């Protein structure tokens, strides 16, 4: 392990984070709210610590990160971002307690959107913007992670996407990794700006448009309103959010290809087709299940179903209706969405469409094998065979995801949460959704979860966001030996 | 497909079933209860249909069953046994409705133990014995299935046990399959007789001892009492049941080796060690969780925990306490037990210890691979490496089990069951446990489940009992083509 190099990378991240606080500081200054001083202090402290760390780790020879250093930088990077992200909450008194502040901060940077705040609307505008901004910055991190880091670590089948990057073929993404990241960040920024403009054009105040725009593309789900998107109660806004949540749940390299003129790319990509199929199917079922029992008109049922299914499947977590009052079938479908999650290469959480697709094909292949015991079969994705070791990698991911989900759920239950709440709080944290069911349902928040439970959920958010392995390996003593 | 040969095998099974009704008939005659005539008719009709089928399918040339025919015989065999098993219920009026009668009958033959009866104690003794006997016969079927059929079909990793049978080494089981089956049936019979004697010696009436003995070794769980084992409220009986449920959940070939003098076999077998470890761990957690909150003394908590964890983990389903009133953690542990199930080669249901063990090792191996990307690793069981295709087979099984569980749960919820009840009713059926949670909890039964839901659960019981594939392939049109 090259601790000096790792620290240097973290230092750059911290400096960047400090500088990024200038935005909320400016907003706070303009609106003359009560958080200007807190944001200024946060910015100075963060930047200063970053600069000190940077100069303490002066460049010495090679600074090439190896495979293990990469894992350490990613995980420590998120943990540290969460830490410095608490400063504005703590200094402004918006969240005076450290556990709660760290929960809110990590929930932001992991683009989860779980909140411990009971009255969001009373917060100063500078703090609200910071809260939304943590999600947007987190989303930037995910893009680099899933395009540039995970494929090379071979985490949970992400090796499949390795071929997408260095290929010199014209219709592929630009060759070099940092180029790729920059290109996708531009796409991310562009779509965010378009969304903000569309929200503003529909009559949403500029400040709220920006905050919500910051929380959609990273599939974050923080809102500036206590009632989330239900506050606006507008079919136009619902449609805009559905559209952009959908974009956020789709592999960003497809967006790049779309922008480059391949208008049929969503239909051509097998993972995207499957993702859209699930979305349509679940929306249909929930519409039929809630029509009559919850909503009087088919239109209202469809509107609520389309919004909530998109929001939970993409792991955004915006809310327009209290789905905790829906019939059991619809609630279970949303619970299922929490596990499925968005596409690989998107900012969505959960297990990712690609993995689920390959697991289902594997199950189908086994049925075929029983019928034709001597046939040689391979599992394919987009016409290309998937190597068995990648499949094994996906299975490893799956069992760890399920195993950690079960252990965390049992711990939450041991703290006194009921069955549904313990299950949903963990599912919504490890899948980076935000709102769950029961005591952490859409009309409630995470404030009442016991302190130890909050730390478990913080751990779950990190686990889910960093694709399990990246966090787990740090806990294995062998990882640190050399 | 050799339909004639398949039918011939089914005919033999039906004749055997008819003859086996002589036992309950005799008991009914001795006790002079109201079911003598019903049992006599059932016996005559069953035997007669069997004999007619047998003579209609006269032996013609080779009657060797191929691989597909084997699958068809197994699945149709269970379906037909369930069908003829309804006759005593229907004719005696004990269960006048066909759906309910088939539910009870299949629940017996699949050794599930889910019941639609509200007042068991009012049933004639002949019918009660028949009900218990269906489980004992079902258990005999499982033994042949898991030792002689599944390993050769290559179902869900059962190939691992293929090597155990034809080996000529002295410490292995007897070489030929039919010999193996007979040997294990003797073991099964012997342990059952010992249990009946121990129950009788403890003061349980002979009839109840026999009925409960018939339902323990197949991990069935039907009782002659409405309150199940709670009726007897005796630490002695609790201990006897715990001991024999444990035997039932352990691979029967280990019992054979035990009887042959290898007294340390349970400790030597890696799967058995893991099984006993889970059992001890869960008992400990449930004891600590229920002590104070439900039970006033540590002894009571331990007694209830040990009984219920053993009963659910081995998928027997006997009940001494209403665990539906336990804290969420303990209920979730029991729910987890429903998925884990007994050891491969036992009569227990669920996913089987061996599979879970290998899946966990696979997850661990992936962590190792991230740390040492270039190391070549294999997953081992008892020192021997597990071939990747067997692992793939287990994964295929796992995804189908979970997938079908999810689909069935959603269907149950669509019929109006609440979240916990829909989830637990399917888990308890596909895992062949019996009692679940919620409206199918330990103090309730399956009577109130809607008719369509009962058929879904019947399908689940068959799926789980026949290791998923054996049923699923019959639904694939390709299977029937030649």
């Amino acid at each position: 392990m090259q601790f000096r190099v790792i620290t240097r990378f973290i230092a750059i991240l911290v400096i960047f984070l400090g500088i990024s606080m200038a935005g909320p500081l400016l907003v706070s200054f303009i609106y003359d709210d009560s958080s200007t001083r807190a944001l200024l202090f946060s910015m100075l402290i963060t930047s200063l610590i970053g600069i000190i760390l940077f100069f303490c780790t002066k460049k010495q020879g090679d600074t090439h990160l190896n495979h293990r250093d990469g894992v350490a930088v990613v995980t420590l990077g998120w943990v540290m971002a969460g830490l410095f992200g608490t400063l504005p909450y703590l200094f402004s008194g918006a969240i005076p307690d450290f556990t709660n502040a760290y929960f809110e901060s990590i929930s932001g940077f992991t683009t989860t959107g779980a909140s411990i705040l009971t009255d969001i609307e009373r917060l100063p505008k500078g703090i609200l913007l910071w809260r939304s901004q943590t999600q947007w910055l987190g989303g930037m991190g995910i893009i680099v992670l899933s395009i540039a880091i995970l494929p090379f670590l071979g985490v949970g089948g992400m090796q499949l996407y390795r071929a997408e990057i260095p290929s010199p073929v014209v219709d592929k993404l630009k060759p070099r990794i940092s180029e790729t990241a920059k290109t996708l960040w531009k796409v991310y920024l562009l779509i965010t700006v378009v969304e903000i403009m569309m929200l503003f054009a529909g009559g949403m105040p500029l400040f709220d448009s920006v905050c919500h725009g910051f929380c959609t593309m990273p599939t974050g789900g923080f809102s500036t309103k206590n009632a989330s998107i239900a506050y606006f109660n507008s079919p136009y806004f619902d449609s805009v959010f559905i559209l952009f949540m959908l974009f956020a749940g789709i592999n960003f390299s497809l967006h790049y290809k779309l922008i480059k003129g391949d208008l049929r790319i969503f239909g051509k990509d097998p993972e995207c087709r499957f993702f859209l199929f699930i979305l349509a199917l679940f929306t249909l079922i929930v519409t039929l299940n809630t029509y009559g029992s919850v909503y009087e008109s088919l239109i209202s049922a469809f509107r609520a179903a389309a919004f909530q299914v998109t929001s939970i499947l993409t792991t955004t977590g915006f809310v327009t209706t209290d789905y905790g009052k829906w019939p059991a079938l619809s609630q279970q479908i949303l619970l299922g969405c929490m596990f499925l999650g968005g596409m690989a290469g998107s900012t969505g959480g959960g297990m990712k469409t690609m993995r689920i697709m390959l697991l289902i094909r594997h199950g189908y292949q086994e049925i075929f094998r029983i019928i034709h015991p001597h046939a040689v079969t391979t599992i394919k994705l987009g016409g290309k065979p998937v190597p068995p070791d990648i499949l094994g990698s996906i299975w490893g991911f799956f069992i760890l995801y399920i195993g950690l989900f079960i252990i965390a759920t049992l711990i939450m239950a041991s703290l006194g949460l009921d069955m549904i709440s313990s299950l949903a709080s963990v599912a919504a944290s490890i899948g980076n959704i935000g709102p769950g069911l029961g005591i952490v349902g859409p009309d409630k928040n995470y404030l009442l979860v016991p302190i130890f439970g909050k730390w478990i959920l913080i751990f779950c958010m990190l686990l889910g966001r960093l694709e399990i392995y990246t966090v787990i390996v740090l806990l294995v003593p062998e990882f640190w030996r050399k």
Side-chain angles (χ1 to χ4, degrees), chain A residues 5-15 53 72-73 76-77 80:
Chain A
V5 184
I6 294 171
T7 314
R8 198 172 175 83
F9 270 86
I10 302 288
I12 296 170
L13 177 80
V14 173
I15 295 171
L53 279 177
V73 166
L76 291 178
M80 295 307 280

Side-chain angles (χ1 to χ4, degrees), chain A residues 19-181:
Chain A
I19 296 170
S20 82
M21 289 179 187
L25 178 62
L26 187 69
V27 165
S28 166
F29 185 77
I30 292 170
Y31 283 96
D32 192 20
D33 70 15
S34 58
S35 67
T36 316
R37 194 193 287 251
L39 282 162
L40 185 64
F41 278 138
S42 305
M43 184 174 164
L44 289 178
I45 290 174
T46 308
S47 309
L48 203 67
I49 292 179
I51 291 169
I52 292 170
L53 279 177
F54 187 77
F55 282 103
C56 288
T57 55
K58 250 175 79 183
K59 219 167 181 169
Q60 286 179 324
D62 188 25
T63 54
H64 180 74
L65 278 184
N66 70 25
H67 168 262
R68 293 198 212 183
D69 302 334
V71 172
V73 166
V74 166
T75 310
L76 291 178
W78 248 276
V79 170
M80 295 307 280
L83 205 60
F84 288 100
T86 59
L87 297 183
Y89 299 134
L90 291 172
F91 290 162
S92 68
I95 309 175
D97 167 70
F98 178 70
T99 297
N100 286 337
Y102 197 70
F103 186 93
E104 197 80 8
S105 178
I106 277 289
S107 168
F109 283 109
T110 58
T111 82
T112 305
S115 182
I116 52 84
L117 292 165
T118 40
D119 187 3
I120 298 163
E121 289 162 32
R122 73 161 181 82
L123 292 190
K125 286 214 162 37
I127 298 297
L128 278 179
L129 182 63
W130 172 244
R131 188 165 165 265
S132 299
Q133 189 174 305
T134 55
Q135 298 208 318
W136 202 75
L137 295 175
M140 280 182 78
I142 311 298
I143 291 172
V144 197
L145 186 71
S146 65
I147 296 289
I149 302 175
L150 296 177
F152 295 93
L153 292 179
V155 164
M158 290 296 286
Q159 305 96 301
L160 273 179
Y161 295 86
R162 203 182 288 173
E164 284 220 341
I165 298 156
S167 162
V169 183
V170 180
D171 74 328
K172 296 278 162 136
L173 279 173
K174 294 201 174 170
R176 285 176 48 235
I177 290 176
S178 65
E179 281 297 310
T180 309

Side-chain angles (χ1 to χ4, degrees), chain A residues 187-467:
Chain A
V187 172
Y188 182 65
L189 179 66
L190 178 71
I191 306 181
T192 304
V193 170
V194 173
E195 184 192 353
I196 292 172
M197 281 165 26
M198 284 180 73
L199 291 175
F200 185 64
M204 192 182 283
L206 181 63
F207 178 78
D208 293 321
S209 301
V210 171
C211 285
H212 284 105
F214 272 6
C215 296
T216 312
M217 285 315 287
T219 68
F222 275 155
S223 173
T224 51
K225 303 296 174 190
N226 292 332
S228 187
I229 310 304
Y231 172 92
F232 302 101
N233 190 19
S234 138
Y236 172 77
F237 288 139
D238 282 10
S239 315
V240 172
F241 280 115
I242 288 175
L243 182 71
F244 285 91
M245 289 191 293
L246 208 55
F247 278 142
I250 289 174
N251 188 336
F252 274 59
S253 55
L254 299 189
H255 295 322
Y256 177 75
K257 290 175 186 165
L258 184 75
I259 293 169
K260 285 287 166 191
D262 188 350
L263 299 177
R264 305 171 91 181
I265 184 68
F266 292 167
K268 274 196 281 186
D269 185 83
E271 189 188 356
C272 192
R273 274 207 307 271
F274 188 69
F275 176 73
L276 296 174
F277 168 75
I278 293 177
L279 196 84
L281 179 70
F282 286 178
T283 302
L284 179 71
I285 297 175
V286 172
T287 303
L288 295 177
N289 186 233
T290 53
Y291 169 52
S293 62
V294 185
Y295 303 101
E296 287 186 9
S297 84
L298 198 59
I299 303 271
S300 317
F302 175 73
R303 183 179 147 194
F307 189 94
Q308 246 15 103
V309 169
T310 311
S311 170
I312 305 292
L313 185 66
T314 60
T315 75
T316 310
F318 283 139
V319 172
T320 54
T321 183
D322 182 4
Y323 58 73
K325 297 200 174 65
W326 282 2
L329 175 63
S330 296
Q331 290 195 45
Q332 282 172 348
I333 288 203
L334 290 186
L335 199 59
C337 288
M338 293 186 187
F339 286 92
L340 296 176
M343 281 174 69
S346 76
T347 57
M351 290 190 190
K352 312 285 180 303
T353 319
M354 174 266 289
R355 295 200 181 101
I356 302 294
M357 228 176 122
L358 288 177
L359 298 189
I360 292 173
R361 286 189 187 182
H362 188 158
Y364 178 77
Q365 190 206 28
E366 277 296 304
I367 295 174
F368 181 83
R369 207 181 50 76
I370 304 277
I371 300 175
H372 303 285
H374 304 296
V376 175
T377 52
T378 49
I379 294 166
K380 289 180 182 172
L381 185 69
K384 278 178 277 182
V386 179
D389 63 314
I390 291 191
L391 219 54
S393 204
I394 295 176
W395 281 117
F397 176 86
F398 187 69
I399 195 78
L400 279 176
Y401 196 101
I402 297 287
L404 290 165
F405 163 75
I406 292 172
I407 294 170
T409 300
L410 294 179
I411 296 175
M412 296 307 286
S414 76
L415 299 176
L417 271 72
D418 63 279
M419 282 184 80
I420 303 267
S421 302
S422 56
L423 201 135
S425 64
V426 175
S429 298
I430 201 167
N432 300 119
I433 291 97
L437 290 168
I439 70 155
V440 296
D443 59 334
K444 303 181 186 69
N445 61 50
Y446 285 75
L447 185 64
L448 296 178
V449 173
I451 291 182
F452 183 65
K454 281 179 184 146
W455 285 103
I456 293 290
L457 297 180
I458 286 170
F459 186 63
C460 286
M461 291 188 238
L462 280 167
L463 273 176
R465 187 69 283 178
L466 307 180
E467 308 270 307

